[in-house]
């Protein structure tokens, strides 16, 4: 069980506006004599005030961060970072980039002509000169190779599509926007300059981002990285400053634009990010790569088994908090009589007090349990059996805590339809639903997806995924018991602890036929997932649970950020070592978002 108490803080009820707008927005609650007064949500004006403190360029980069992750995980970029990208592929990339940079410089020239401000003109001119310097670096590669790349390589369709987009934008040909014409006013021309910068800024920021990501990995290499010059250029203070200068210029040029015009810039920014991904993906990588994971997947020989936790891995809010608030919101008030033909329930006030008591007891005992299972000193070598034995104690604690919840009666009297409705409105982590949709709808992938959860009520999980058109997922969790659609307060216990989870994990694999090899991936966020994460061929930790890291590290488990881990794996692959994945290695990979998981497993 990892219910809301395991968040390590005393119970803090969800804001009622969250319940009203996301979970319980129905006439049943609005008209029920037991419904509670719901304050309004925070105003859109206050949210906009926060956004206005950040410039357009920064907001756009944050909004389309997913695209930067997808670019980072393309086979070309990963091989480049690892240093084992074949030189012929790099030569082809440089040739394409020469075509692109020439168009980039031309776009700056057109933007300079449209700018109405002398300072803006000077800034654009400086940025254009920086592009010409970048071309000189590319020419230095050509001189080293002793050949003319432009003559050797024809421009590919992804490069043409990107350059056409840039030059069309810089010429005022923006989809849905009337061109400025020959008699354009200075303000209309400035808009074109702003649009142009909106299409160019993502490239500058993305390359600055990649440069810094690569620079951080240089120390991992023994000897010289073959593409060190490329990395040093894009991680240099000069290039980083140019990226910031481009963003500042975009913010300046867009200050006087309307909301509709700012939306246009945002669309141009997003389109440029997608074209960057296409540009990287179009590079001819013919060597073996570790991304995407499904690239080497052969459904006839391999079986991809994807496992995931639910609470705070897939969700934004722990499901137990949702169930608790449904119980409190729908409970009768102290002065209300209850019908004789219904299960007797505590009043909403008594329920809230009881949850508070359970919360405090859980928090105190949980911390004590964690301290009791920790070895006195950090072990030198990972030993799975020692960790499993320690987590058996935690499992006993979790089951006792579940028993207390059942005995308290706090889960009694919940309506099945209310639970399903709450599940349908449950907010999932950004990118989670899209990832699973891509997996289950890819018939060629033939993947099996299983969700293993401590959640007290599997119907909540099924409703959450069904609302995202994902009824195909296999859910393994506890279940409420109902009498005429009303919960009795009892739980059909199936998955209560780390030991239960890993046993369910093994049972699922044991029930698979032996005609194919299983490749297992487990995605989780907490101590309850730890054994499954380690048993899987690839264990991915999402989020930043301090207790998970503290316990696992003390038992010799290593946490490696996914991208650097893949770079190391790719380097080993290039040196002739096996790139296969194997469980019980004691290594877990960490990510900050589902975008990374998507990029690694499925690619773009």
């Amino acid at each position: 069980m990892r219910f809301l108490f395991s968040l390590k803080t005393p119970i803090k009820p969800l804001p009622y506006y969250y319940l009203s707008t996301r979970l319980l927005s129905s006439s049943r609650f609005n008209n029920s004599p037991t419904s509670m007064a719901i304050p309004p949500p925070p105003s859109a004006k206050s949210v906009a005030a926060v956004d206005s403190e950040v410039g357009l360029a920064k907001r756009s980069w944050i909004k389309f961060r997913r695209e930067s992750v997808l670019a980072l995980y393309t086979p070309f970029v990963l091989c480049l970072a690892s240093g084992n990208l074949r030189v012929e592929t790099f030569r082809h990339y440089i040739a394409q980039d020469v075509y692109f940079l020439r168009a980039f410089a031309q776009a700056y020239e057109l933007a300079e002509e449209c700018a109405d401000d002398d300072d803006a003109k000077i800034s654009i001119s400086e940025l254009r000169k920086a592009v010409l310097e970048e071309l000189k670096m590319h020419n230095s590669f050509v001189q080293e190779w002793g050949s003319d790349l432009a003559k050797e390589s024809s421009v590919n369709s992804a490069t043409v599509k990107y350059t056409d987009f840039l030059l069309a934008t810089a010429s005022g040909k923006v989809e849905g926007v009337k061109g400025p014409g020959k008699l354009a006013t200075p303000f209309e021309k400035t808009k074109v300059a702003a649009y142009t910068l909106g299409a160019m800024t993502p490239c500058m920021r993305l390359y600055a981002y990649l440069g810094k990501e690569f620079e951080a990995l240089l120390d991992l290499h023994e000897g010289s990285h073959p593409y060190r010059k490329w990395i040093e250029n894009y991680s240099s203070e000069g290039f980083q400053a140019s990226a910031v200068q481009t963003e500042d210029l975009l913010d300046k040029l867009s200050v006087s634009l309307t909301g509709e015009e700012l939306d246009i810039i945002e669309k141009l920014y997003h389109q440029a990010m997608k074209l960057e991904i296409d540009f990287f993906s179009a590079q001819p990588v013919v060597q073996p790569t570790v991304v995407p994971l499904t690239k080497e997947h052969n459904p006839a020989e391999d079986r991809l088994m994807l496992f995931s936790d639910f609470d705070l891995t897939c969700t934004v809010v722990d499901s137990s908090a949702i169930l608790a608030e449904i119980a409190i919101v729908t409970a009768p008030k102290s002065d209300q009589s209850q019908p004789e033909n219904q299960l007797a329930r505590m009043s909403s006030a008594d329920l809230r007090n009881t949850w508070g008591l359970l919360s405090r007891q859980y928090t105190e005992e949980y911390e004590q349990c964690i301290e009791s299972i920790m070895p006195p000193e950090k072990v030198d070598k990972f030993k799975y059996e020692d960790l499993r034995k320690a987590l058996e104690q935690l499992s006993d604690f979790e089951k006792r805590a579940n028993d207390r919840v059942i005995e308290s009666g706090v889960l009694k009297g919940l309506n099945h339809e209310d639970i399903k409705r709450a599940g349908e409105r449950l907010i999932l982590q950004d990118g989670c639903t899209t990832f699973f949709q891509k997996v289950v709808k890819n018939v060629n992938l033939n993947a099996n997806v299983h969700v293993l959860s401590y959640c007290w009520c599997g119907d909540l999980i099924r409703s959450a995924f069904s609302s995202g058109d994902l009824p195909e997922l296999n859910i393994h969790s506890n279940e409420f018991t109902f009498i005429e659609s009303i919960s009795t307060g009892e739980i059909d216990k199936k998955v209560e602890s780390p030991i239960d989870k890993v046993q369910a994990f093994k049972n699922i694999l044991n029930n698979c036929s032996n005609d194919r090899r299983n490749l297992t991936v487990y995605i989780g966020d907490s101590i309850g997932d730890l054994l499954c994460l380690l048993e899987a061929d690839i264990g991915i930790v999402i989020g930043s649970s301090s207790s998970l890291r503290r316990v696992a590290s003390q038992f010799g488990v290593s946490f490696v950020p996914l991208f650097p881990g893949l770079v190391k794996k790719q380097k080993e692959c290039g040196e002739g070592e096996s790139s296969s994945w194997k469980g019980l290695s004691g290594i877990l990979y960490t990510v900050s978002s589902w975008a990374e998981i998507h990029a690694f497993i499925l690619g773009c």
Side-chain angles (χ1 to χ4, degrees), residues 136-149:
K136 288 182 182 179
M137 179 190 72
H138 286 46
N139 289 333
S140 71
F141 287 123
V142 174
Q143 291 172 5
E144 288 178 16
W145 296 322
S147 60
D148 189 342
L149 296 180

Side-chain angles (χ1 to χ4, degrees), residues 564-583:
L566 293 175
V567 168
K568 183 175 184 293
K569 195 86 172 173
Q570 181 64 41
K571 187 170 184 290
E572 293 169 352
C573 181
E575 294 170 351
E577 298 182 31
S578 172
S579 62
S580 62
W581 301 89
K582 190 179 295 184

Side-chain angles (χ1 to χ4, degrees), residues 14 56 62 148 162 222 239 252 323 328 417 444 476:
L14 291 175
L56 175 63
I62 293 171
D148 189 342
Y162 199 174
E222 297 176 3
F239 189 85
K252 179 179 180 179
L323 294 169
I328 292 169
E417 286 302 314
N444 295 324
H476 310 265

Side-chain angles (χ1 to χ4, degrees), residues 305 307 450 452 476 503-512:
M305 302 291 292
F307 295 85
H450 296 267
L452 307 183
H476 310 265
Q503 191 57 56
F505 174 87
K506 289 181 176 181
N507 289 342
I508 293 166
L509 295 179
N510 290 336
N511 289 331
C512 293

